[in-house]
Amino acid sequence: EVLRATRYSSSGIRFYHKDKDESFVENGCMADPDFLQIFSFPLIKGDLNSALTDPFSIVLTEKLADKYFGSQDPVGKVLSTLRGTEFQVNGIIQDIPHNSHLQFDFIIPFEIMGKFGADLNNWEDVSYLSYVMLHEESSITGLNKKIKDTEHKNRKNSTANRYLQPLKDVHLRSHFKFDIPGHGDIKYVYIFSFTAFFVLIIACLNFMNLTTARSANRVREIGVRKVVGAYKKDIIKQFFGETFLLTLFASVLSILIILLFLPSFRILSGKPLFFSFMSNPWLFAELLGIVFFSGVLSGIYPSLYLSNFQPVKALRGLMKSGTKGSVLRKVLVVSQFALSIILIIGTIVIFNQIKYMRNANLGYETDHLLFLPLMEEMGSKYETVKTDLLQNPGILSTSAVDRLPMYEGSGLS
C-alpha cells in the first residue's frame, strides 16, 4: 500500500559561520530521502532524487543559505557544526510557508543518527513522526490493521493503537499530547464562525427593523410608482436591488478596513494573518456568497412589506401599520436582543476563562525566574558555571534540573 515513507524529527544544530567567526543555533529537521518527494517544498537547486542520500548531506532554505553563503552558490560547499561535523550542501529549497505545520531551515538525512551511535532499528524508540504516501487504490483501514499487527508482533507488551491520520487533518484535528507544536483547533473555527454568523444575523435584523420603521417616508413614492404602471414585482426588485447595493458597499468598506488594520492586529495577536485574493481564490466567491445571503435575508421582508402598499391609500397618506407588521417587528427586535445577550454572555465566559488561565497558581513562582539550557560542555562543568553565575549581584541562587517542572515526559497519546 505504501509508495513512499519518511521519518521526521525536529533538530537544533549549532553551525559555525566562518566569515563572522561565530556560531548560531539553527532549527531544522532530520528526514529520509523520500521527504522531498512526499512534500511539495520546491527545490530551487540540486537533485531531488539524491539531495538526502548521503548521511552527511544537507538541504538549506533560501534564508539559511543566504545567511551562511551570501551571494555565492552554496551547492557543493561545506557547512560545519561547532564540533567540526561537516555537511555538504546538496540542495536549496524555498523558504517554508508560514502556514505549513512543518517549520525548518535545513534538512539532514535521518541516517546521521546511526552514524552517531543511535539504534535506528529499536522498536521501543517512539520519539519520531512518520509520514507515508499511499497508492491511490490503497485501503487505509486494511493498512491500519497491518500497522497494528506489525507493532504488536515486535513489541509484545505494547498497548498502543497506531493509525494513519490524513495530512489535511493535522493542523485542526490533531489532539495528541506529544506532537509538533503550533496546531489550531477546529472547535475555535466553529466558535468564531458561529459568532460571525450571529453578528451578521443581528445586522440583517437591525436593517429590516430600520427599513420598515422608515416605511412612512417612502409611502408616496411607492404609490406614485404603482399609479404610473409599476407592478408589485417591480417594487420588490427595486428594494432588493437597493439592499444588494448597500450590502455590496458595506462589504467593500469592510475589506478596506481589514486591509487598514490588519498589520496592527497581526502584531497584537502575534499571528501571521494575511488577506489576499491571490493566495486564496475561493475567498472572492465566499465573499460574494455572504453578500448574496445578507442581501436576501435583509431585503426579503422590507421588499414584500413595502410592495403591498395600496396606491390610493399611499398617496392620501392613509397607510397605517397593520397588526401583523407590528407583531413581526416586535419578534425581530426580541430576536436581535436575544442574540446580542447570547454573544455578550459568551464573551464574558471566555474572558473569565482566559483570566483564570493567566492567574492560576502553577505551584511555583514564575517572576524573576530564568531558565538556560546547558549547551555543549556546560552540563559537565556545572559547578564552574554556577560559581561564575553567583558572582553576578543580580542572581540570588541557581539550581540544575534534568527536566523542567512542567515537562510531561515522552509518550504516545
Side-chain angles (χ1 to χ4, degrees):
E1 293 92 346
V2 178
L3 179 63
R4 300 184 186 280
T6 180
R7 291 163 292 184
Y8 178 91
S9 178
S10 298
S11 176
I13 297 180
R14 184 179 288 274
F15 291 108
Y16 178 67
H17 199 303
K18 293 186 299 181
D19 297 338
K20 297 182 179 180
D21 194 24
E22 290 184 76
S23 62
F24 301 93
V25 176
E26 309 293 353
N27 295 316
C29 70
M30 296 180 294
D32 290 303
D34 279 352
F35 180 82
L36 291 174
Q37 295 170 319
I38 290 176
F39 296 100
S40 57
F41 298 116
L43 191 69
I44 301 172
K45 295 180 179 180
D47 181 15
L48 190 66
N49 296 315
S50 61
L52 294 173
T53 52
D54 188 300
F56 291 94
S57 60
I58 189 170
V59 174
L60 307 177
T61 59
E62 290 179 288
K63 180 177 67 175
L64 206 63
D66 181 67
K67 178 177 179 179
Y68 285 90
F69 298 99
S71 58
Q72 303 177 46
D73 184 358
V75 176
K77 289 186 168 54
V78 172
L79 185 62
S80 302
T81 68
L82 188 61
R83 291 186 174 183
T85 305
E86 295 184 342
F87 293 94
Q88 179 175 303
V89 180
N90 279 2
I92 305 297
I93 61 173
Q94 287 184 4
D95 292 336
I96 309 304
H98 72 276
N99 57 347
S100 170
H101 81 286
L102 300 176
Q103 292 292 326
F104 53 87
D105 287 322
F106 66 84
I107 313 170
I108 57 176
F110 205 94
E111 290 296 326
I112 193 68
M113 296 279 289
K115 297 295 181 180
F116 288 103
D119 182 5
L120 299 182
N121 296 314
N122 179 11
W123 282 89
E124 298 304 320
D125 191 349
V126 294
S127 304
Y128 314 111
L129 299 174
S130 294
Y131 293 92
V132 295
M133 177 183 288
L134 306 182
H135 291 281
E136 290 185 5
E137 64 275 9
S138 299
S139 168
I140 295 180
T141 304
L143 183 55
N144 280 335
K145 185 178 185 304
K146 290 182 180 181
I147 292 173
K148 183 177 180 180
D149 293 343
T150 302
E151 177 168 18
H152 288 176
K153 178 183 176 181
N154 292 275
R155 301 180 69 211
K156 303 295 184 182
N157 299 322
S158 172
T159 59
N161 179 25
R162 272 181 226 280
Y163 57 90
L164 297 176
Q165 180 187 45
L167 192 64
K168 64 180 181 180
D169 291 344
V170 168
H171 182 64
L172 291 176
R173 292 180 170 84
S174 285
H175 303 289
F176 304 111
K177 197 174 194 178
F178 302 96
D179 207 344
I180 296 177
H183 287 171
D185 194 327
I186 191 63
K187 290 186 293 185
Y188 294 118
V189 176
Y190 291 147
I191 289 172
F192 287 124
S193 297
F194 280 121
T195 302
F197 178 74
F198 282 139
V199 171
L200 187 62
I201 294 297
I202 291 172
C204 292
L205 294 177
N206 193 45
F207 179 82
M208 284 189 272
N209 284 327
L210 290 174
T211 304
T212 52
R214 295 175 62 250
S215 60
N217 298 333
R218 305 196 65 178
V219 167
R220 295 185 183 278
E221 173 199 339
I222 297 168
V224 170
R225 284 179 57 81
K226 284 192 171 184
V227 166
V228 297
Y231 292 101
K232 181 178 179 179
K233 64 179 182 179
D234 298 317
I235 305 297
I236 292 175
K237 289 178 182 178
Q238 175 192 349
F239 285 105
F240 263 124
E242 291 177 1
T243 304
F244 275 111
L245 283 175
L246 282 172
T247 306
L248 186 61
F249 175 77
S251 300
V252 172
L253 184 61
S254 67
I255 292 173
L256 294 176
I257 293 174
I258 289 173
L259 295 175
L260 181 63
F261 288 98
L262 188 59
S264 301
F265 188 74
R266 192 182 296 140
I267 296 172
L268 177 65
S269 63
K271 301 288 185 181
L273 302 174
F274 294 92
F275 184 88
S276 172
F277 292 114
M278 298 297 293
S279 60
N280 185 8
W282 284 104
L283 184 60
F284 185 73
E286 292 166 357
L287 285 174
L288 287 180
I290 293 174
V291 170
F292 179 78
F293 171 79
S294 304
V296 171
L297 184 61
S298 302
I300 189 167
Y301 173 66
S303 59
L304 294 177
Y305 175 75
L306 296 175
S307 64
N308 280 327
F309 287 173
Q310 297 178 15
V312 175
K313 291 184 178 180
L315 291 172
R316 290 181 177 178
L318 300 177
M319 294 298 301
K320 293 182 180 179
S321 271
T323 306
K324 291 183 179 179
S326 176
V327 171
L328 184 55
R329 281 198 298 276
K330 290 178 181 178
V331 171
L332 292 176
V333 171
V334 171
S335 302
Q336 181 180 339
F337 278 103
L339 290 175
S340 300
I341 292 170
I342 292 172
L343 290 178
I344 292 171
I345 292 174
T347 303
I348 293 173
V349 170
I350 293 173
F351 173 79
N352 288 331
Q353 290 291 321
I354 295 175
K355 182 180 178 181
Y356 171 77
M357 287 191 292
R358 286 179 172 176
N359 300 320
N361 184 7
L362 300 178
Y364 66 96
E365 292 295 331
T366 58
D367 294 338
H368 310 294
L369 187 64
L370 182 65
F371 165 71
L372 294 173
L374 298 178
M375 304 294 292
E376 307 300 334
E377 299 179 357
M378 292 175 65
S380 60
K381 299 179 179 178
Y382 170 68
E383 292 300 328
T384 303
V385 174
K386 179 178 180 180
T387 302
D388 289 342
L389 288 174
L390 290 176
Q391 289 178 0
N392 188 316
I395 298 176
L396 296 179
S397 62
T398 66
S399 179
V401 293
D402 181 48
R403 292 287 185 269
L404 290 175
M406 69 287 295
Y407 182 75
E408 296 183 280
S410 179
L412 295 172
S413 59

